[in-house]
Amino acid sequence: MVKAEYHKISQDEAKKRMDEHENILIVDVRQENEYKEGHIKDAVLVPLDTISDEKPEALPDSNQEILVYCRSGKRSEQASRKLVALGYTNIYDFGGINTWPYETE
């Protein structure tokens, strides 16, 4: 049996995936006030503390490629581990927006 795990990728790799794939979901796991201060274009807000033992409504497809980020990388790792535990199969953690060299809104 293959062990479900998340993948840690670079921000350059995340940006490349965003540019090359249409059916990709970008998930911001910070708090709403942080999200409002600035986030990556098209990112969906799913705060870390809302991810419990049920799949988040915003993430209906367990097999969709999901790119996860937070402010510095700590919450994105925790969220990625939680999502994998809930059965998600394509989780990619690319760390924190504080070092994101690309555009935000």
Side-chain angles (χ1 to χ4, degrees):
M1 186 174 132
V2 177
K3 180 177 168 283
E5 59 185 346
Y6 79 99
H7 309 277
K8 182 81 175 150
I9 60 172
S10 69
Q11 293 183 334
D12 291 337
E13 174 69 16
K15 177 71 167 118
K16 184 172 179 239
R17 287 172 181 268
M18 290 173 199
D19 292 343
E20 293 177 358
H21 303 282
E22 283 182 22
N23 187 28
I24 208 164
L25 197 57
I26 306 160
V27 175
D28 185 326
V29 297
R30 300 174 301 158
Q31 295 299 315
E32 186 173 1
N33 62 319
E34 294 175 286
Y35 179 85
K36 286 179 176 173
E37 289 170 8
H39 56 270
I40 295 170
K41 186 177 180 334
D42 299 327
V44 177
L45 179 65
V46 182
L48 172 63
D49 59 12
T50 67
I51 304 171
S52 57
D53 51 6
E54 289 184 21
K55 290 185 178 179
E57 278 183 34
L59 312 176
D61 183 353
S62 300
N63 296 314
Q64 183 171 20
E65 186 169 327
I66 299 174
L67 303 181
V68 182
Y69 75 94
C70 63
R71 186 185 61 80
S72 65
K74 186 168 185 177
R75 285 176 285 180
S76 61
E77 179 181 344
Q78 293 172 327
S80 295
R81 291 182 189 281
K82 283 184 168 188
L83 292 171
V84 166
L86 289 171
Y88 290 90
T89 58
N90 277 312
I91 301 294
Y92 295 87
D93 168 12
F94 65 97
I97 195 171
N98 64 348
T99 55
W100 180 250
Y102 306 103
E103 196 176 332
T104 59
E105 58 183 34

